[in-house]
Amino acid sequence: MSAVVGSMVAPAGVVRRQRVRVPMRLVWSPYYQDVALSVYVKVKALASRPEGCQARTETIGSYLGLSVASVERGMTQLRRPGPDGVVELHSERRTLPGGTGQSAVRTVRPMLREEAFVWLPVAAAEDLTPRQLRVYALVAYAQAQGIALTEAELASCLRHHSGKKAGEALSVTAASAVVDEVEAACWMTVQRRAGVRGRNRYIAHDLAPEARTDVPADGFGAAAEVAGAAVGSGAEGAISSQVGEGSGSPVGEGSLANREVPMTDSPDDGRAFFSPAVGEVQVGKAGRPVENPAGGDAAAAAGKGGLALRAGGQNQPSPSKPRNRSSRSKAGARSYDGPRLAMNAHIYAVLEPVHVLLEQVNVFVARKVAREVGRQLREGTAPERLQHRLTVRLAKVLLSDIRDPGRWLLGVALPRWGCGYQDCEAGVVWRTGAACEICAEVVQDKAAARQRKQRLAQGLCPEHNTRPGPPGQCDTCELDDAIARPAPAVVVQQRVPDGPPRGDCDDCGVRILLTGRALEDGLCKLCREEAATLADDQAPVSGVRAERACSGRDGQAPCGRTPLPSRSVCARHRVQELAGAVA
């Protein structure tokens, strides 16, 4: 079918060299179906013309050898936003003034300079099926980037788009069949087991098959010869590998190994083991095999020394490798031959619960453990408390789970757990046995923080666990804010009585109404009468003298005013008497 379509699109002798730049998000993303990639390539090629892409859906389908429904499905997916919100295809509908509709003008989005892309020939989209075109795009991108592909990696990028397995990746067998179809269409050459570690090498061609047969000098002829030689020597026929059979073909029984186990240590070095941090238990000096090897009897019968004969007649074992591989292990360097570790009896008694672990560590780690115990004893930790700590923590684990005894002793068994209070031992006060209040508060604070975070994630009020209202606060929070908010200060305005204005008497200070004569002299009636009487008394009247005088006093001097008719004091002193009586 591909040959028929190719002959319809391009006449014989015409080289189809047009290429388009396709974003790799269309090739990698499982969101886009295979047909979307073929439609994108053809629409972008047609949009490069001056008039743009004005071809109808039927025309595009005839170019690609697809049905109208498949082309419409691909265009619909390209017009919708992808998982990252990017729209690849824009369609503008057109209508004549009379109402007759025309084919839409379709354009693709401009690509960014930093996004990944691959150059795809337009002829490949016409000759290959959508799934084959996606495999070709993956191989072309890997070839441009220098990536060695495997069939498993190709299969992971191909998806089922319908049926019960929709969304799942294709099997390696199905992907191998697609690779064989692309190779049969002469758009790709597969060199069997010619890559690294016996992998297949895929070479994507950028010209149409009919153009490559007419132009052998472009380099593809040599590639075809190399591919033919590789196929002839490694496998009979163009059949890809099956599942679990390595990278070779079934005829050649696959590659020699389909699993790689890189080892950095020499296999002859039996002392090499993994780091204790990744799960290997250290072997002590007293370690020895628990059973004889399988060929022990045969080896004993082979020679006197119990060693099998070696090539060249050498029966003596080769010298073992030096135990110290550091730069300090030079000629003439001696191992440590100083005094052995002598641990204090008191410290050794404190470590009695963990003696079984202490025997498995070397001298350096044992010295560090002894120093740590001595430091804690000097700082005031009771021996019974430290021994109890070791006993409790050893009882919580299995000896088989302790992969590194030294690291467990220094990092788990000996450190004090608790708060900053020195008498706190893992949340319990050592002297009283009561729960530590500081640790309890820390636990409560952490629990409250977790609860608050959980409530915020659920959209509830972090304080009262209720649904907030439109203002953003729940009813209880609003009530608490209203209670905590101080009430506004009430300003009491003094009531102004009705009637004429009031004032104080200038002489005696009594409150008076400022009306009549009070507006002129500012005196009350009594003070005004008294002032009038004094003025009359001071008038030069011959032979007339005051017979009576006020009994009050102005400071130290006696008052010289005339008393009231019925009183012995004047009006001013009478007001003062009344004021004192009222007070």
Side-chain angles (χ1 to χ4, degrees):
M1 177 180 177
S2 60
V4 175
V5 176
S7 62
M8 294 174 59
V9 175
V14 178
V15 180
R16 298 173 294 171
R17 297 182 178 271
Q18 185 180 9
R19 297 190 307 167
V20 294
R21 191 170 63 164
V22 180
M24 284 301 295
R25 60 184 301 273
L26 292 178
V27 184
W28 287 332
S29 177
Y31 170 77
Y32 295 100
Q33 299 183 7
D34 299 333
V35 68
L37 179 61
S38 300
V39 172
Y40 179 88
V41 173
K42 194 59 184 179
V43 170
K44 189 169 185 178
L46 295 175
S48 62
R49 301 183 299 180
E51 63 273 13
C53 178
Q54 301 181 10
R56 301 173 59 185
T57 307
E58 296 83 355
T59 306
I60 298 176
S62 64
Y63 289 155
L64 299 175
L66 302 174
S67 63
V68 178
S70 300
V71 176
E72 287 289 351
R73 185 169 64 254
M75 288 186 179
T76 302
Q77 201 169 29
L78 292 173
R79 286 197 301 265
R80 294 176 180 175
D84 51 359
V86 178
V87 178
E88 293 290 350
L89 181 64
H90 300 276
S91 181
E92 180 182 357
R93 296 185 179 274
R94 300 180 301 166
T95 305
L96 294 176
T100 304
Q102 289 185 323
S103 60
V105 177
R106 300 177 178 88
T107 56
V108 296
R109 69 171 180 90
M111 295 180 57
L112 303 177
R113 296 182 58 183
E114 60 273 8
E115 68 176 311
F117 66 90
V118 61
W119 287 99
L120 294 183
V122 181
E126 299 173 354
D127 296 345
L128 302 177
T129 62
R131 179 159 294 176
Q132 295 172 4
L133 181 63
R134 174 164 283 187
V135 172
Y136 176 83
L138 292 171
V139 173
Y141 180 78
Q143 180 177 343
Q145 298 294 329
I147 302 173
L149 278 179
T150 61
E151 291 180 353
E153 294 172 348
L154 288 174
S156 63
C157 297
L158 303 178
R159 303 280 176 172
H160 293 278
H161 299 293
S162 60
K164 297 181 179 180
K165 296 184 178 181
E168 298 181 4
L170 267 67
S171 62
V172 180
T173 304
S176 301
V178 178
V179 172
D180 294 338
E181 294 173 358
V182 179
E183 185 181 14
C186 300
W187 277 103
M188 183 172 59
T189 299
V190 182
Q191 298 179 356
R192 312 290 172 178
R193 301 177 62 180
V196 181
R197 299 186 182 276
R199 297 177 178 176
N200 295 342
R201 180 181 298 172
Y202 304 97
I203 301 175
H205 308 308
D206 57 351
L207 290 179
E210 61 271 11
R212 289 188 286 109
T213 56
D214 297 340
V215 188
D218 56 357
F220 292 103
E225 294 178 1
V226 175
V231 172
S233 61
E236 297 179 1
I239 302 176
S240 298
S241 63
Q242 302 295 326
V243 181
E245 295 294 336
S247 58
S249 62
V251 179
E253 298 300 331
S255 59
L256 299 179
N258 55 12
R259 179 179 300 177
E260 300 175 4
V261 184
M263 297 292 294
T264 56
D265 294 328
S266 175
D268 297 334
D269 187 6
R271 297 177 295 101
F273 53 86
F274 293 99
S275 173
V278 297
E280 184 71 17
V281 182
Q282 286 189 356
V283 180
K285 295 182 179 180
R288 58 184 182 274
V290 297
E291 59 183 6
N292 295 329
D297 298 336
K304 298 181 180 180
L307 299 175
L309 294 177
R310 300 194 177 190
Q314 182 182 359
N315 295 337
Q316 298 297 328
S318 60
S320 60
K321 297 182 180 180
R323 194 167 186 82
N324 188 2
R325 298 185 179 183
S326 62
S327 59
R328 293 178 297 178
S329 59
K330 299 180 181 179
R334 298 182 303 172
S335 60
Y336 177 76
D337 55 356
R340 300 183 61 182
L341 175 64
M343 188 177 296
N344 185 280
H346 187 44
I347 296 178
Y348 188 78
V350 172
L351 293 173
E352 189 272 335
V354 292
H355 281 177
V356 62
L357 298 177
L358 196 62
E359 295 175 355
Q360 302 179 20
V361 301
N362 53 27
V363 178
F364 176 75
V365 177
R367 183 178 287 108
K368 292 187 65 175
V369 172
R371 289 176 179 174
E372 176 64 21
V373 174
R375 183 190 64 81
Q376 295 190 22
L377 294 177
R378 288 193 303 270
E379 291 181 356
T381 303
E384 297 80 6
R385 176 180 175 182
L386 190 56
Q387 194 172 21
H388 177 268
R389 182 190 305 171
L390 297 175
T391 304
V392 171
R393 295 183 183 177
L394 183 62
K396 293 181 179 180
V397 297
L398 298 176
L399 292 178
S400 59
D401 294 338
I402 302 177
R403 302 177 179 180
D404 188 346
R407 182 176 298 180
W408 187 86
L409 289 173
L410 294 173
V412 179
L414 289 176
R416 183 183 67 87
W417 296 346
C419 59
Y421 184 44
Q422 188 65 24
D423 206 21
C424 176
E425 183 69 29
V428 179
V429 179
W430 174 256
R431 298 179 183 177
T432 61
C436 180
E437 298 180 357
I438 301 177
C439 294
E441 292 179 0
V442 172
V443 173
Q444 293 177 0
D445 294 342
K446 291 182 178 180
R450 289 194 301 268
Q451 186 180 19
R452 180 182 181 90
K453 185 178 180 180
Q454 183 179 4
R455 290 177 178 178
L456 289 175
Q458 297 176 356
L460 303 177
C461 177
E463 302 295 337
H464 307 96
N465 196 22
T466 56
R467 186 70 60 181
Q473 290 183 339
C474 63
D475 299 338
T476 309
C477 291
E478 293 180 358
L479 182 60
D480 294 343
D481 294 344
I483 295 175
R485 189 182 305 114
V490 180
V491 180
V492 180
Q493 297 182 355
Q494 188 176 2
R495 182 177 176 274
V496 179
D498 300 336
R502 288 167 171 78
D504 297 334
C505 177
D506 296 341
D507 195 358
C508 62
V510 70
R511 297 287 293 175
I512 59 175
L513 298 175
L514 299 179
T515 58
R517 297 181 62 184
L519 295 174
E520 300 177 358
D521 51 14
L523 300 175
C524 62
K525 182 178 180 182
L526 295 178
C527 292
R528 188 181 303 108
E529 293 177 355
E530 183 180 356
T533 303
L534 291 176
D536 294 340
D537 294 342
Q538 293 178 359
V541 180
S542 58
V544 179
R545 303 186 65 179
E547 297 179 357
R548 299 178 57 193
C550 177
S551 60
R553 303 180 66 85
D554 294 335
Q556 299 296 333
C559 179
R561 300 183 182 85
T562 302
L564 297 174
S566 60
R567 302 289 179 179
S568 62
V569 294
C570 61
R572 176 174 295 180
H573 288 88
R574 179 57 182 168
V575 171
Q576 294 178 0
E577 290 178 358
L578 292 176
V582 172

